[in-house]
Amino acid sequence: MEIDIEQDLFENEAKLAELNRSWFAAHRVAAVNLLAAPGAGKTSLIRRTAALCPLPLAVIEGDPASRIDTDLLNGLGIPAHQINTEGGCHLEAQMIGQALQEFQPAAGTVLFIENVGNLICTASFPLGEALRVVMLGVSEGDDKPFKYPLIFEEADAVILNKIDLGPFVDFDRERFYRGIRTIDPEVPVFEVSCRTGAGLAEWSRWLERKAGEYLDAATV
Amino acid sequence: MHELSLTEKILRLVLEQAGNHKAAKITRIKLVIGDLSGIIPACVEQYFGLIAAGTIAAGAKLEFQRSKAELYCPVCEESFEKRPADFNCPRCGSLAQLTESGRECFVESIEVD
């Protein structure tokens, strides 16, 4: 006997993400899915942003193993919750749903979801976030938008980090922007250095504005 | 690597459906996989062999139908089928835009006894 199923698994993921989206809206939490390769500077960005952004921050940390980043952030007074994927290469909506049962950020919080370092499948799994931010370090190369177009496609903002390293790594800015603009003509790009602090004020102002718009629109 | 979590979802889904129909055995699973889904059928097959062991889906044959990725060229204003490792328009050479097609990871049907 043949049984028709006709179930798109990613569509199912979208439904699970929708549950998180409702939770975030009902609790007035602005979730930011932060996507990047390992070592691009995701945790550094969160640390720096916490010092600049007047909104309270909290973090859900996704890593295959360890509590390194969570311990670091908690030590700095930034509430952080660890998800270990035990080898899994991305966070999924269901994991966030489970985390929210234990870790409940207060209303008005900007919740960074620091995804597992990966430019491939993290792009395919929506988490119910209000904003999706993709980060790239100049040392990774100017060709990444051409090589990993899916991840840039749904970004609300792109952060180009480590610009202080630019002169040492032959990063072709023009080529990078050509790639980004072909995928999305309008996405804001913030050139920053989490080491020197360059460009971070502008990013933080953008985040504050976008998160503020989301929080104002969210129902209590 | 992400095929493992997707294969788990596939297994859960087919077991649930087979259970609804009180089937004793799942013999075949038909899947539609988009070229842009980032899913490698051989990986799904391998994981399935491991995680389906001991269930009524053990030994089921996985049948993969690939769905082609379609890109849209904003210059020519036309869609075209994506060629491997190439995001450029075959007519004008511009970098084309992604569309929704080609991202599917679809469980189409199962055959049960």
Side-chain angles (χ1 to χ4, degrees), chain A residues 40-174:
Chain A
K42 295 185 287 299
T43 313
S44 300
L45 180 79
I46 293 169
R47 288 175 62 176
R48 284 286 195 165
T49 306
L52 290 166
C53 182
L55 296 167
L57 300 191
V59 184
I60 290 179
E61 268 296 333
D63 282 306
S66 99
R67 292 185 46 85
I68 294 172
D69 290 346
T70 290
D71 290 344
L72 178 83
L73 293 166
N74 280 328
L76 293 167
I78 304 167
H81 176 89
Q82 184 70 50
I83 296 177
N84 282 135
T85 58
E86 310 295 344
C89 45
H90 58 264
L91 291 177
E92 296 189 12
Q94 201 181 1
M95 300 174 188
I96 301 300
Q98 269 166 11
L100 291 173
Q101 290 178 7
E102 288 174 45
F103 182 65
Q104 305 206 345
T109 299
V110 175
L111 175 68
F112 275 100
I113 300 172
E114 184 176 338
N115 217 312
V116 176
N118 175 353
L119 292 175
I120 306 175
C121 50
T122 48
S124 301
F125 290 85
L127 303 176
E129 66 266 22
L131 297 168
R132 185 177 278 210
V133 176
V134 178
M135 188 174 192
L136 184 82
V138 292
S139 48
E140 293 165 51
D142 46 52
D143 53 6
K144 290 299 165 290
F146 297 102
K147 288 185 167 177
Y148 298 84
L150 279 176
I151 203 156
F152 290 97
E153 203 191 19
E154 287 184 29
D156 294 298
V158 173
I159 296 182
L160 182 63
N161 188 26
K162 309 189 189 183
I163 52 164
D164 50 319
L165 292 182
F168 306 102
V169 294
D170 295 331
F171 185 83
D172 183 342
R173 198 172 252 100
E174 192 272 328

